[in-house]
Amino acid sequence: GDFWITGYTVATKLVGSSFAWNSARMVFSSNYIYDTKIQLENISRYVAVRDVMNAKSLEEAVRKLREAKVASAFSLNILDLNENRAVNVEKDTEEIYLTTICGRYARANHFIAKTEDLPQPPVSSAFRCAKANELIAQVDRKTASISDLQSILMYETQDYNASIYMDAKKYPEKGVTVANFSYDGESGKIAVRDYLGGGVMEFEYR
């Protein structure tokens, strides 16, 4: 029918590795979570998230995550514009850990809602989580815009482990920032910044 999904991907990968939105007014952003527990007999997180992106409601998305058994851990932010509700779901190989987002929220690549049987979070992830939450708390709610969010995502120092933005040219052998995704619910605009190809793409989405 008329159902569609728009999402970011790279060659050889399914849409589902990072962010997407669909015609049912559902918005998703995903990232891996560092974990030592891997179950290779389960499906890839990309396959699981790609399936979730078919969801037409928050409840359907969470149900799909609850039922999935995946090879490795990840988190998924889910925004349902129909109900003006948002959650973050942490998913290990079997269970989910759900956080309702009612205000300012930022996270990185380690478990937050799951509190038991955890590996030590990577230094860079712990820093990015703390710094992002510090910076987002300083944004004026009355004038907040996509540029404020992108400024936070571009935070960089000379130390890889003390930066939010990781430049691919500086760190070719490490995990780097490939793109970022921002949605402004007030203006109905999506902005995607591509750090490898250059430039910013904007979309209308309500």
Side-chain angles (χ1 to χ4, degrees), residues 76-160:
L76 184 66
N77 295 313
I78 308 170
L79 170 61
D80 183 339
L81 290 173
N82 300 296
E83 299 187 7
N84 195 29
R85 296 166 58 202
V87 300
N88 174 265
V89 181
E90 294 178 354
K91 174 76 177 178
D92 62 15
T93 55
E94 295 190 6
E95 303 298 327
I96 67 168
Y97 306 85
L98 189 147
T99 300
T100 299
I101 302 173
C102 297
R104 302 173 194 225
Y105 179 84
R107 62 165 299 121
N109 302 102
H110 59 278
F111 286 109
I112 298 174
K114 181 181 178 180
T115 58
E116 297 181 355
D117 191 26
L118 302 179
Q120 186 70 23
V123 174
S124 63
S125 181
F127 173 85
R128 283 182 282 114
C129 184
K131 177 57 71 173
N133 278 287
E134 173 192 328
L135 295 174
I136 203 170
Q138 299 171 10
V139 174
D140 187 335
R141 184 173 182 175
K142 294 180 180 178
T143 61
S145 67
I146 282 178
S147 62
D148 293 304
L149 179 56
Q150 291 185 336
S151 177
I152 293 171
L153 296 174
M154 285 293 294
Y155 180 87
E156 183 182 19
T157 71
Q158 294 301 311
D159 183 353
Y160 176 87

Side-chain angles (χ1 to χ4, degrees), residues 7 16 22 67 81 85 89 122 160 167 173-174 176 178 191 196:
N22 69 27
E67 294 174 353
L81 290 173
R85 296 166 58 202
V89 181
Y160 176 87
D167 191 331
E173 303 300 323
K174 295 185 177 183
V176 296
V178 175
L196 300 184

